[in-house]
Amino acid sequence: MSEHEIAAPGPEPEPSPARGYDAFYERFDSLLMRRLRQEAYGRDIGQHSWVMADELAHDIARLQLTRASRLLDLGCGPGGPLTFLVREAGCHATGIDVSPHAIESARTRATSFGLGALIELQVADSNEPLPFHSSSFDAVIAIDVVLHLRDRAMAVAEVARVLTPRGRFLFTDAGVVTGPVSNQEVRWRSIHGYTQFAPPGFNERTIKAAGLRLIDVADRTPSLLTNANGRLASRIAHREELEQLEGAAYFESQLHYLETVVALSERSALSRMTYLAERDA
């Protein structure tokens, strides 16, 4: 395979339902899934996106999290990164996700770590106005979520509304187009539902339009590539178990998806960028 190609496409990906992750969340804490995360990420903190534990630990200081902080996680999924941050910083936190299965899994995880009193979880759609009063949170995170939002400008404006003065917003976007991408690659990269790819500068302009001040932009594509290769190798190593659990067609679709992510990252065609912004006083 050349650096400009991906593996033979196989069957065309099928559109995913709005809550297409639900089956995944239901088996998220199985022994097999935990083994896959350990092999893929090196350290299993209950993540299912491109985030690594050391990356999150680094972001605690950037978000200025303390025990007195109130943190909001948009699209928290099963609560892995959220519980990690709360355990490390000791802050109070709220997580929202559109999937009831994800919230149930996150609630179980928080309880298992004795964090039930610090973490509130609720079903809510980040595509809609946030169900919180203005100036409710000292920090907001959105880990690999914004590329699945239909109105990014509205979402960032809502974040600005719920942030306190000097509150910080950190989000990652794994869909920043930094090179040529084929229509075939777009299809495979989008198999998990609605996906919005953005050109360089788009997120920066969206942050400014929402009245937030951009503090830093960092390219975290190298860690995504490490992550994707780890996930790919782990799934191949457990092919038989996963095919029995997921079905052969789904298993193959996930291989093509990860192969596409690797190919795009290796040639810097699609980048994962991290943005840190702050609301003015």
Side-chain angles (χ1 to χ4, degrees):
M1 176 188 315
S2 77
E3 65 174 350
H4 299 295
E5 297 176 347
I6 60 172
E12 286 294 314
E14 296 181 359
S16 298
R19 291 174 173 78
Y21 279 108
D22 278 354
F24 170 76
Y25 292 142
E26 288 176 337
R27 56 178 178 262
F28 187 75
D29 284 317
S30 68
L31 288 175
L32 176 58
M33 292 299 108
R34 292 202 298 268
R35 189 180 310 129
L36 288 171
R37 289 198 298 275
Q38 183 66 42
E39 294 173 5
Y41 295 105
R43 183 179 177 187
D44 173 19
I45 59 169
Q47 69 271 60
H48 72 290
S49 60
W50 307 111
V51 69
M52 308 286 269
D54 57 350
E55 177 184 309
L56 270 183
H58 173 69
D59 289 332
I60 290 174
R62 301 173 78 215
L63 286 164
Q64 299 181 335
L65 293 179
T66 68
R67 296 180 67 85
S69 298
R70 295 161 295 169
L71 170 69
L72 172 63
D73 185 358
L74 302 181
C76 67
L82 180 61
T83 53
F84 175 85
L85 289 172
V86 172
R87 290 175 73 193
E88 294 293 315
C91 60
H92 285 77
T94 298
I96 66 170
D97 199 278
V98 71
S99 167
H101 292 283
I103 292 299
E104 183 176 342
S105 180
R107 188 169 288 121
T108 299
R109 184 176 187 83
T111 301
S112 72
F113 286 117
L115 301 174
L118 293 177
I119 297 177
E120 178 183 345
L121 296 151
Q122 65 184 85
V123 176
D125 189 347
S126 298
N127 284 297
E128 302 294 334
L130 296 174
F132 308 109
H133 296 298
S134 298
S135 302
S136 294
F137 298 98
D138 303 295
V140 178
I141 60 171
I143 307 298
D144 299 323
V145 169
V146 297
L147 79 167
H148 297 304
L149 299 180
R150 296 180 181 275
D151 190 343
R152 196 173 309 196
M154 185 276 287
V156 177
E158 276 293 284
V159 168
R161 180 183 66 79
V162 301
L163 276 174
T164 58
R166 299 297 185 192
R168 292 194 166 186
F169 177 37
L170 185 143
F171 71 93
T172 57
D173 183 359
V176 179
V177 182
T178 47
V181 182
S182 73
N183 63 322
Q184 181 185 82
E185 290 170 320
V186 167
R187 288 197 299 273
W188 279 112
R189 184 60 183 82
S190 306
I191 65 171
H192 293 128
Y194 180 86
T195 306
Q196 184 183 89
F197 302 104
F202 179 79
N203 287 316
E204 291 89 335
R205 292 191 296 273
T206 302
I207 288 167
K208 182 178 180 180
L212 298 174
R213 178 175 63 87
L214 183 65
I215 296 174
D216 183 54
V217 179
D219 186 349
R220 288 181 173 172
T221 310
S223 66
L224 176 147
L225 183 57
T226 298
N227 181 317
N229 275 315
R231 288 164 65 176
L232 184 60
S234 181
R235 290 188 67 84
I236 291 172
H238 296 277
R239 175 188 291 269
E240 184 175 347
E241 295 168 275
L242 287 169
E243 285 185 337
Q244 291 178 357
L245 178 67
E246 304 169 340
Y250 182 85
F251 176 83
E252 289 299 328
S253 74
Q254 294 308 298
L255 287 194
H256 287 303
Y257 165 71
L258 289 168
E259 288 166 352
T260 301
V261 171
V262 169
L264 291 169
S265 301
E266 285 181 337
R267 67 172 198 267
S268 300
L270 206 62
S271 297
R272 181 179 185 257
M273 309 298 293
T274 298
Y275 303 85
L276 179 65
E278 184 179 78
R279 177 181 164 182
D280 289 332

